[in-house]
Amino acid sequence: MRKEDCFYLGKIAKKFSFKGEVLIYLDTDEPYLYENLESVFVETNKHLVPFFIVNSSIHKNSFLRVRFEDIDNEEDADNIINNEIYLPLTQLPELEGNKFYFHEVIDFQVEDERLGNVGNIVSINDSSAQPLFEIKKGDIEILVPMIDDFIVKIDRENKTVILNTPEGLIDLYLDN
């Protein structure tokens, strides 16, 4: 399985018992969706390796307590602590309306209600407090905050994000 075909679910945070159980921190708003997984991919030495789950349960709302097949003691568990967990993109729950996954809108056209076609989304910058649409229009890079009030519609059928941005926000990039 290639990392590009997967999404980040969380990280193996710590051991839970002497029998090899671990706690996985789930980086999601809905941890209960992942309570009954059969397997996950654990990143080991920059490769995704399938790990099969014997049993699992939600622990303290954002952790998944897991017993993996062939992880039977503390030493085995120590070897996977801090490793990242991934699942195939096909296992993401479908979102509707104006909710979307960041990867889903890459290559979508961006239209502003006032300015018309703004360009294509080339990536999402989520390294700051406010995620940003990174939009390319020719050689110009345009950064637009991903604020709910700016997003009018996510048109999946036409691969378009329709925005209503305040005057001056996008104009600033185009006036050079």
Side-chain angles (χ1 to χ4, degrees), residues 1 7 9 24 33-42 49-56 64 66-69 85-88 91:
M1 179 66 63
F7 68 96
L9 180 60
I24 298 173
L33 293 176
Y34 303 99
E35 188 171 18
N36 296 311
L37 296 171
E38 292 179 12
S39 64
V40 295
F41 288 98
V42 176
V49 178
F51 274 64
F52 295 93
I53 297 173
V54 175
N55 57 45
S56 63
L64 186 65
V66 174
R67 168 98 166 69
F68 286 118
E69 200 174 273
I85 302 294
Y86 293 86
L87 284 176
Q91 288 188 250

Side-chain angles (χ1 to χ4, degrees), residues 100-113:
F100 60 92
Y101 296 109
F102 289 179
H103 73 273
E104 181 182 7
V105 296
I106 302 300
D107 293 328
F108 274 35
Q109 288 283 320
V110 176
E111 297 211 5
D112 184 82
E113 288 186 326

Side-chain angles (χ1 to χ4, degrees), residues 108-157:
F108 274 35
Q109 288 283 320
V110 176
E111 297 211 5
D112 184 82
E113 288 186 326
R114 185 173 47 81
L115 298 169
N117 185 297
V118 175
N120 277 22
I121 297 173
V122 291
S123 69
I124 304 292
N125 180 337
D126 64 348
S127 62
S128 61
Q130 177 67 54
L132 303 166
F133 288 118
E134 291 185 2
I135 303 164
K136 276 282 205 191
K137 182 170 184 125
D139 293 336
I140 301 168
E141 182 181 56
I142 302 166
L143 301 175
V144 177
M146 290 174 49
I147 297 173
D148 290 344
D149 291 347
F150 293 177
I151 301 170
V152 175
K153 182 178 182 187
I154 303 296
D155 183 350
R156 288 173 174 83
E157 191 174 312

